[in-house]
Amino acid sequence: MAHSEGAVAPPSSSYPSYPSSQLASQQARSPRKSAEIPDFARPLIDQIATADVHVRWGLRENEWFQIHALIKKCGIPAMASAAVKAAKRTDVESARYFLPGWRELPEQPAPGTERPPLRAVSGGYEPWRNPTNQDDYDEDL
């Protein structure tokens, strides 16, 4: 049985038949194509992996763009900490799971900005005790 160009696949096949050149061009235009891991994300991935959290990082280019912006906004330590906490609560397969939580993180302080020192309360710590005039309270009852 001879096949002519553009022949239809036998009815038993559930896959469409494409000429190889058409299939290659379709794969090249596919919006689902995953980008390679960019250099700016390596420190984040390494910090998460160091905490023994291993997920797939097959993200699209627009998702890598979001991660790059979030690294600038929130910082790698905050993002890694949030990812590790999330992975402890549930079984995470893909890094895509972390994106909504990372978007909720606060901005990191500007470089050179330090946290204000905490003021100590004068007098030191004293444990709580019942008031010495407890009888005055009991009379009201």
Side-chain angles (χ1 to χ4, degrees):
M1 183 193 255
H3 286 215
S4 63
E5 192 171 324
V8 178
S12 62
S13 173
S14 61
Y15 299 105
S17 175
Y18 294 110
S20 60
S21 61
Q22 183 182 0
L23 185 59
S25 65
Q26 182 181 6
Q27 288 174 343
R29 292 179 296 185
S30 174
R32 295 202 178 269
K33 182 180 175 189
S34 294
E36 291 184 25
I37 296 173
D39 291 337
F40 66 81
R42 285 282 169 205
L44 174 66
I45 294 168
D46 292 343
Q47 199 165 349
I48 292 171
T50 300
D52 206 26
V53 174
H54 304 285
V55 295
R56 288 177 297 152
W57 289 91
L59 303 175
R60 295 183 204 115
E61 286 184 41
N62 67 332
E63 291 166 322
W64 285 119
F65 180 76
Q66 291 175 41
I67 289 174
H68 190 245
L70 289 166
I71 287 172
K72 289 179 179 180
K73 175 190 165 213
C74 309
I76 289 174
M79 292 174 69
S81 176
V84 170
K85 286 178 186 175
K88 286 182 181 178
R89 288 190 302 263
T90 187
D91 190 28
V92 179
E93 292 184 20
S94 172
R96 193 169 284 122
Y97 178 84
F98 303 131
L99 283 172
W102 286 341
R103 287 185 202 111
E104 298 297 319
L105 291 173
E107 285 189 41
Q108 63 183 341
T113 307
E114 294 183 27
R115 291 177 60 182
L118 298 176
R119 294 181 296 142
V121 177
S122 63
Y125 171 76
E126 285 188 35
W128 186 84
R129 289 182 275 157
N130 282 328
T132 55
N133 58 351
Q134 185 67 37
D135 294 334
D136 293 340
Y137 292 106
D138 292 339
E139 289 177 5
D140 291 337
L141 297 174

